[in-house]
Amino acid sequence: MMSNPRNLNAANKDLLIRALRAHSINTLPELRRIERIFAELNAPDTNEPIKNAWIYYVNSHNLLNELRGLTKKYPFSSECLDDAKRRANGSPGQNYCWTVLNKIKEQSLIPHHARLLAAKPAMWGGRAPSASDINKLATACTTEWTRALTTLLRHWDANGR
């Protein structure tokens, strides 16, 4: 597909719209690439397909899978992501993914959920963890999860553009 919007003809734009609606484009870098192309085109018929593609990407676990792909030692918390999704519902904006990721960052959800995870006896073979154990695991999770979040947020500027 074309990456220069000036070279994008109507047929190729329609192909991108159909691909978005069919959910065949399902990685953050590819969705961002198309979002940038559509932003330069400034064509109203592209707004709904890209907005819905982001919603599908977040809600179909593709975002969680990408986060977990970046957090091999301490898999990213689905509870943290679900919390951010609840907080992002009703937030204005075209890009639901950026809104969710930004909620995690701005509302300090990672340290909170890392501590909740670290305190679960299931993480310790059924035994109650010590305060030191909880702190060590929470710190390790927070470090790895924050690195993954930062990596994904680099796809946008500070305003989600």
Side-chain angles (χ1 to χ4, degrees):
M1 289 285 159
M2 306 270 171
S3 60
N4 183 346
R6 285 176 245 127
N7 297 333
L8 190 71
N9 62 31
N12 284 336
K13 182 180 83 169
D14 289 343
L15 281 174
L16 287 174
I17 289 171
R18 279 198 303 276
L20 290 172
R21 288 184 174 144
H23 310 299
S24 58
I25 299 168
N26 56 14
T27 66
L28 192 145
E30 278 301 298
L31 287 168
R32 279 296 292 143
R33 182 181 70 81
I34 292 168
E35 185 176 51
R36 283 189 208 97
I37 291 169
F38 285 177
E40 270 195 55
L41 287 176
N42 200 25
D45 63 333
T46 62
N47 292 339
E48 174 266 329
I50 193 68
K51 182 177 181 177
N52 289 339
W54 282 119
I55 291 168
Y56 180 82
Y57 170 80
V58 171
N59 291 334
S60 67
H61 303 291
N62 286 329
L63 176 57
L64 180 60
N65 289 337
E66 285 205 44
L67 284 164
R68 285 188 171 169
L70 297 169
T71 56
K72 297 288 188 193
K73 287 184 183 176
Y74 306 99
F76 198 89
S77 166
S78 62
E79 290 86 0
C80 181
L81 185 58
D82 289 343
D83 188 5
K85 288 170 16 181
R86 279 188 299 277
R87 293 169 189 239
N89 277 338
S91 295
Q94 173 78 0
N95 193 307
Y96 182 56
C97 182
W98 179 84
T99 302
V100 168
L101 293 172
N102 201 49
K103 290 286 182 194
I104 293 170
K105 178 183 174 190
E106 296 297 319
Q107 297 184 5
S108 299
L109 298 182
I110 287 177
H112 170 73
H113 284 279
R115 181 155 291 286
L116 288 176
L117 178 74
K120 290 181 179 179
M123 296 301 296
W124 304 96
R127 71 170 176 83
S130 69
S132 175
D133 288 340
I134 292 170
N135 287 335
K136 286 177 189 172
L137 181 56
T139 298
C141 290
T142 298
T143 300
E144 186 164 299
W145 297 354
T146 300
R147 190 174 313 125
L149 177 69
T150 301
T151 297
L152 294 187
L153 281 171
R154 284 188 188 130
H155 289 276
W156 293 275
D157 68 16
N159 298 318
R161 307 230 183 278

